[in-house]
Amino acid sequence: MRAQNVTWTAHPADKWVHLSASTGDGDAVITVSATPNPEQTERRSTLQITGDAVDPVEIRILQRASQPGPSPEPEPVVMARVEGYWAGDYWETGGRLDDLYLVMTDRSILNGKPQGAGSILSLDLNIPAATFATFDIAGSYAPSTALPPTQAHTFNADEVTYVATYDAANNRTAQRYATTGAVEIKGERPLYRIDVSLTLDDGTAFLATYEGSIPFFDDTNPVLSTLTGDCRPDLTAATGTFLIHTDHAGSSLPLLLELTGSHEQRAEHLQLLLNVTPDAQQTGRIEGTYRLTETPSPSDYPAGTALPGTLASTGDELVFDGCWYLCYNTAREEQLSDMAPLQQGQITVSRTEEVYTIDYALTDDNASQPHSVAGRYIGAVTFTNLDEPGPEPGDVTTGGQLAPWKPGGHW
């Protein structure tokens, strides 16, 4: 700066502009520097120099935007539980490949269902063909978009393998599909180490890791019952809720009877869906004999029948419909240990004043080796909506969200 015989002063307009000297007499060299720009947009300022008996001089300053650095790689999600579902040659590859789903979650498990905030990762693996007793999942897996798949040790990407996230209220907030990535599995049944690195369809990365035991379930077995012997439940409480058939009204009214019992390290739940007379909701009279039969025509659900146990779909959830027996292992966070859809038999209900006697002799869906669920409940039945309008149509589907497809899972 040339300023012969002038006393001068330099004034930066912003604090991020710094000067090597702000005052002086005569000619001088001033170094202008700036604090690094934290924003990803350019910023501007001015520097004004004034002196005695001379016009002020203004210098414009432009600082470039900061350059974003590489995004930090996310920390792996540590999965708390993993379950495997073997589906045999699901994709019809001519016996060359088997399909196996790994379902992984970091959410807590209550009543057999994940709860609270977290994620569920569903991995669809293509493994070498084997049997349910002999298959192995160890290996390195690359993404595949070919359906049916053609190579072992691949996982099916693009709308097959996905990550679903949930908030604290158990609402699904997002579901993203894997487009590429890698899966590494080490170990042998039942103990494995799994490391997952995926790129999702929104461009984000998802990493996950798990080390521990994996229970496997045979999804090729059409029998849903997991009973290994006859069962005599010990039930201590009962509730009844009147429902409405969505596609039929007149000759009967559905009544959901739920009988429960809690004991050391286990809790039992017998769900019975009876077709009672239409006036039962006003009178409370549910006495009679109810026989499980094949699901009747939707045009009629005659009184004196009971609906056999089935799995019903409500959107993307499965629920227990009809008559079911469920037993939970409370020592393992109420993990479902046994279940059985009840297909045949009868239920008899009698009453002395306010004391009900409910006798039941039912069998599961294992046609080759059927198991019985039989016993007697004596006690009160607490009706939740006696002498009130029934639920809105559509509520005939009963039970909670299906916790396990087999004991333990398929969330």
Side-chain angles (χ1 to χ4, degrees):
M1 180 183 69
R2 301 189 63 82
Q4 187 175 6
N5 301 322
V6 176
T7 299
W8 53 267
T9 302
H11 308 276
D14 295 282
K15 292 183 177 180
W16 54 268
V17 178
H18 307 286
L19 307 177
S20 60
S22 58
T23 61
D25 294 306
D27 297 346
V29 175
I30 302 175
T31 301
V32 181
S33 60
T35 302
N37 186 356
E39 306 296 332
Q40 293 184 21
T41 57
E42 63 182 25
R43 60 181 177 179
R44 300 171 184 272
S45 187
T46 58
L47 172 62
Q48 189 178 64
I49 301 174
T50 60
D52 298 337
V54 296
D55 293 334
V57 176
E58 184 174 275
I59 302 172
R60 296 176 183 176
I61 299 172
L62 172 65
Q63 187 180 32
R64 293 177 179 174
S66 66
Q67 297 300 313
S71 300
E73 190 172 77
E75 288 293 320
V77 176
V78 179
M79 295 300 188
R81 182 170 176 82
V82 177
E83 294 177 351
Y85 299 88
W86 182 78
D89 191 8
Y90 176 83
W91 296 110
E92 298 180 352
T93 65
R96 294 182 297 105
L97 301 174
D98 285 347
D99 186 54
L100 186 133
Y101 273 94
L102 286 181
V103 186
M104 312 171 69
T105 187
D106 62 336
R107 303 169 71 200
S108 59
I109 305 295
L110 181 63
N111 294 330
K113 295 182 293 186
Q115 300 288 319
S119 58
I120 291 178
L121 167 60
S122 179
L123 276 173
D124 187 21
L125 305 181
N126 302 306
I127 62 176
T131 67
F132 178 70
T134 62
F135 74 82
D136 182 41
I137 64 171
S140 300
Y141 292 79
S144 170
T145 58
L147 289 179
T150 59
Q151 293 187 350
H153 295 113
T154 58
F155 67 89
N156 296 316
D158 288 351
E159 302 189 9
V160 182
T161 291
Y162 66 87
V163 177
T165 55
Y166 294 78
D167 62 18
N170 299 318
N171 299 312
R172 184 183 296 186
T173 57
Q175 181 168 309
R176 299 295 183 185
Y177 293 96
T179 58
T180 187
V183 178
E184 186 74 27
I185 303 177
K186 298 178 180 179
E188 57 185 23
R189 295 170 70 171
L191 298 176
Y192 289 96
R193 164 73 188 237
I194 304 176
D195 292 290
V196 179
S197 175
L198 300 176
T199 299
L200 306 181
D201 56 9
D202 62 351
T204 61
F206 182 85
L207 307 181
T209 186
Y210 174 79
E211 188 166 7
S213 178
I214 300 178
F216 291 101
F217 307 102
D218 184 356
D219 263 4
T220 66
N221 186 353
V223 176
L224 295 179
S225 174
T226 62
L227 297 180
T228 56
D230 295 339
C231 179
R232 294 191 63 84
D234 184 6
L235 305 170
T236 57
T239 61
T241 302
F242 294 96
L243 306 174
I244 291 178
H245 285 300
T246 59
D247 50 10
H248 169 74
S251 67
S252 69
L253 191 70
L255 170 66
L256 174 63
L257 276 180
E258 297 186 272
L259 290 76
T260 57
S262 294
H263 318 286
E264 184 178 357
Q265 295 193 344
R266 70 187 180 97
E268 294 180 290
H269 182 186
L270 180 63
Q271 172 180 297
L272 303 174
L273 190 57
L274 312 180
N275 291 311
V276 299
T277 57
D279 63 349
Q281 189 170 8
Q282 283 69 47
T283 65
R285 290 185 160 179
I286 62 170
E287 299 93 320
T289 297
Y290 302 86
R291 290 179 173 83
L292 270 76
T293 60
E294 292 294 328
T295 303
S297 166
S299 64
D300 189 26
Y301 296 89
T305 59
L307 296 184
T310 59
L311 290 177
S313 175
T314 58
D316 61 353
E317 301 291 350
L318 289 172
V319 298
F320 298 113
D321 195 13
C323 297
W324 282 81
Y325 170 73
L326 308 168
C327 184
Y328 294 91
N329 185 332
T330 56
R332 293 192 292 134
E333 300 185 65
E334 300 203 4
Q335 181 69 48
L336 189 56
S337 57
D338 271 316
M339 71 177 190
L342 304 172
Q343 301 291 301
Q344 296 181 355
Q346 73 177 32
I347 302 113
T348 302
V349 181
S350 59
R351 181 175 70 166
T352 303
E353 296 182 347
E354 300 305 315
V355 177
Y356 289 81
T357 299
I358 303 174
D359 291 292
Y360 51 94
L362 309 167
T363 57
D364 64 7
D365 66 338
N366 191 338
S368 63
Q369 189 176 0
H371 302 106
S372 69
V373 177
R376 167 178 288 182
Y377 168 80
I378 300 176
V381 175
T382 302
F383 292 98
T384 62
N385 58 348
L386 191 65
D387 199 23
E388 295 179 6
E392 291 297 318
D395 286 350
V396 71
T397 298
T398 61
Q401 292 179 354
L402 176 63
W405 183 261
K406 294 294 180 188
H410 219 317
W411 310 304

